[in-house]
Amino acid sequence: MKHQMVIVLDFGGQYNQLIARRVRECGVYCEVKPYTTPLEELKGMDPIGFIFTGGPGSVYAEDAPLCDPEIFNLGVPVLGICYGCQFMAHTLGGRVTAAQADTAREYGKTKTFFDTNCKLFRGLPAEGITWMSHGDYMAKVPEGFSLAAHTDACPTAAICDEIRGFYGVQYHPEVNHTENGVQMIRNFLYEVCGAAGDWTMGDYCRTAIREIREKVGSGKVLLALSGGVDSSVAAALLAEAVGKQLTCVFVDHGLMRKNEGDEVEAAFSRWNINFIRVNAETRFLLKLAGVSEPEHKRKIIGEEFIRVFEEVGKEIGSVDYLVQGTIYPDVIESGAGDAAVIKSHHNVGGLPDYVDFKEIIEPLRMLFKDEVRQLGRELGLPEYLVRRQPFPGPGLAIRIIGDITKEKADTLRDADAIFREEIANAGLDTEISQYFAVLTNTRSVGVMGDGRTYDYTLALRGVTTSDFMTADWARIPYDVLDRISVRIVNEVAGINRIVYDITSKPPGTIEWE
Ligand code: XMP
């Protein structure tokens, strides 16, 4: 069955995949295409609507990203967001200028007033907070357009031409900070584009399986399995698509949590798949010896993983494809396109330049964490697996600050196990999205019994989040923190002080390295 489709035309903004995800959330299929895509190709895709994304450019700059203005003559509705809105206004005869210092330039949460007669805002409150991030503004709106929202500083926060189905907003409806933002996108899809809501995660799953089969044919595939949610969902998807052509390889780099290697092996040995465990602790620890710079650690681990997979591939023979459970936040934080590198996720930015496989397949690359969980359920994975908290590919290497030794890894494993046990005992394990211990590189003086100690400080981290792109620190009750602290200091040698990390993301990241 052919689904209705919306095209998200990418002008280089930070939130483009988030827009795509919002459209999917509204039950409409969508694809992100670069703004340079030829008009004929876009037309051939037969979209029911276009969403033009934001972007760092200015429409009046010489090198401004512009697409064929004929796009406005296709009779297809358009929603322009931020730069996308300015591009529409500029192309259709309006005037966009740099905002004066304290007038219409706006960043962050902004009180906004809406005309609820406009289809975009129908059924929504007339006043609300929007997330602004623009230095340009529309000084004159094009003919046929009317003003649909304003703020104290900007009279043109939203514009619309309801006859042609053109809508533009200066703010970002796709981010959580904009109140009712998703509802505005939904209104555009359903009230303006006439969407039927004919797309589900089940469709995504079927399409992904079909595409994998087409690509792989009768070839052999290796899958990098860590036992975490992402790679387990990728494994279930691939198993469904290519069955016994798939071999799942679990590389135990010696930096897993307590007993985790054995648990992963026990869980996946029960599946009807080819499963191999490679014990590579010595090899990884040797490569990491003396290394303390976080990006350096990540690159070493990324490369070593690939070398192990290549070796297993050679043993099996004629393996063309390597599958990784990379998800969208991994891609964006590793610096996709013009975005800054926050950290090289081992399966993206940590990859070596040369990889001895014909291709790396990443079927979850465009999904957010909660969508991956949904897909896992679609594939029939058990709830305990789908709800597992994430564990980063580089493992404890990025939770041991400074250089890594086996002793430190063992110390951290014991402390982390107590933390997790007490969180579960307190019934908080489903409330906190991710929680773990970090072995800091700081030692401090303590007193135990009658003696002086000079041991490591352990940091506890717990966050709540839905997409892991932003996160809030978890409000763990003091008495639970107290129990954890007492137990760890008493039971784990080498640790004499516990601190709790109260930094949200941003400005912190979830992991410490
Ligand atoms: P940060 O620390 O960037 O983490 O806020 C966001 C989420 O990603 C996980 N993470 C990783 N996952 N490979 C992974 O598979 C990696 O290299 C990696 N680094 C961070 C992290 O645990 C959190 O859930």
Side-chain angles (χ1 to χ4, degrees), residues 31-46:
E31 285 193 20
V32 180
K33 300 296 267 183
Y35 73 91
T36 46
T37 310
L39 187 69
E40 279 309 305
E41 187 181 329
L42 297 176
K43 218 165 121 182
M45 293 167 75
D46 195 20

Side-chain angles (χ1 to χ4, degrees), residues 298 333 343 345-346 390 392-394 434 468 505 509-511:
R298 285 173 170 275
E333 294 192 350
K343 37 183 96 165
H345 284 222
H346 81 290
Q434 190 172 8
F468 296 84
K505 172 185 180 178
T509 53
I510 296 174
E511 303 288 346

Side-chain angles (χ1 to χ4, degrees), residues 164-196:
R164 287 187 286 177
F166 295 158
Y167 297 78
V169 293
Q170 282 287 7
Y171 55 87
H172 289 272
E174 70 278 18
V175 304
N176 276 333
H177 304 301
T178 295
E179 290 172 3
N180 298 307
V182 179
Q183 197 53 45
M184 295 169 194
I185 293 173
R186 182 181 292 276
N187 278 352
F188 174 70
L189 298 170
Y190 285 82
E191 302 286 328
V192 180
C193 304

Side-chain angles (χ1 to χ4, degrees), residues 55-306:
S58 282
V59 280
Y60 48 79
E62 239 174 51
D63 56 352
L66 304 172
C67 73
D68 191 333
E70 276 302 308
I71 198 162
F72 294 106
N73 293 328
L74 297 178
V76 177
V78 176
L79 171 62
I81 295 175
C82 199
Y83 175 88
C85 169
Q86 293 154 11
F87 165 70
M88 177 161 69
H90 174 80
T91 312
L92 296 176
R95 190 160 52 83
V96 176
T97 59
Q100 299 309 309
D102 54 347
T103 54
R105 173 188 295 174
E106 295 171 301
Y107 294 99
K109 292 183 179 175
T110 311
K111 191 168 199 186
T112 309
F113 305 90
F114 306 99
D115 174 0
T116 54
N117 290 318
C118 169
K119 280 187 188 162
L120 213 52
F121 309 120
R122 195 168 280 172
L124 301 179
E127 223 183 282
I129 298 297
T130 63
W131 179 259
M132 295 280 185
S133 180
H134 65 102
D136 285 344
Y137 107 113
M138 290 173 289
K140 176 175 164 272
V141 302
E143 208 161 302
F145 278 77
S146 53
L147 301 181
H150 67 274
T151 66
D152 288 338
C154 174
T156 53
I159 57 171
C160 64
D161 174 345
E162 305 230 67
I163 294 175
R164 287 187 286 177
F166 295 158
Y167 297 78
V169 293
Q170 282 287 7
Y171 55 87
H172 289 272
E174 70 278 18
V175 304
N176 276 333
H177 304 301
T178 295
E179 290 172 3
N180 298 307
V182 179
Q183 197 53 45
M184 295 169 194
I185 293 173
R186 182 181 292 276
N187 278 352
F188 174 70
L189 298 170
Y190 285 82
E191 302 286 328
V192 180
C193 304
D198 63 356
W199 190 86
T200 62
M201 193 46 92
D203 292 306
Y204 184 92
C205 186
R206 283 185 285 279
T207 308
I209 289 171
R210 196 184 59 237
E211 285 173 359
I212 292 166
R213 283 188 186 142
E214 277 165 16
K215 174 170 289 214
V216 170
S218 57
K220 288 190 210 161
V221 183
L222 269 198
L223 183 137
L225 183 75
S226 70
V229 180
D230 306 338
S231 62
S232 302
V233 172
L237 189 67
L238 265 289
E240 193 71 32
V242 297
K244 286 289 179 185
Q245 288 159 252
L246 171 73
T247 303
C248 294
V249 184
F250 164 53
V251 179
D252 186 344
H253 49 21
L255 295 157
M256 304 297 285
R257 287 169 289 199
K258 197 166 185 174
N259 302 327
E260 194 164 29
D262 294 341
E263 284 166 16
V264 171
E265 184 172 354
F268 287 91
S269 304
R270 284 201 298 270
W271 282 28
N272 185 23
I273 52 168
N274 301 315
F275 173 87
I276 296 176
R277 173 177 179 175
V278 181
N279 289 318
E281 180 182 46
T282 315
R283 168 175 185 167
F284 274 82
L285 289 186
L286 262 176
K287 287 270 176 190
L288 287 165
V291 176
S292 50
E293 204 280 314
E295 277 297 289
H296 194 189
K297 287 181 185 172
R298 285 173 170 275
K299 299 268 180 196
I300 289 174
I301 292 170
E303 163 146 23
E304 212 49 25
F305 263 121
I306 292 291

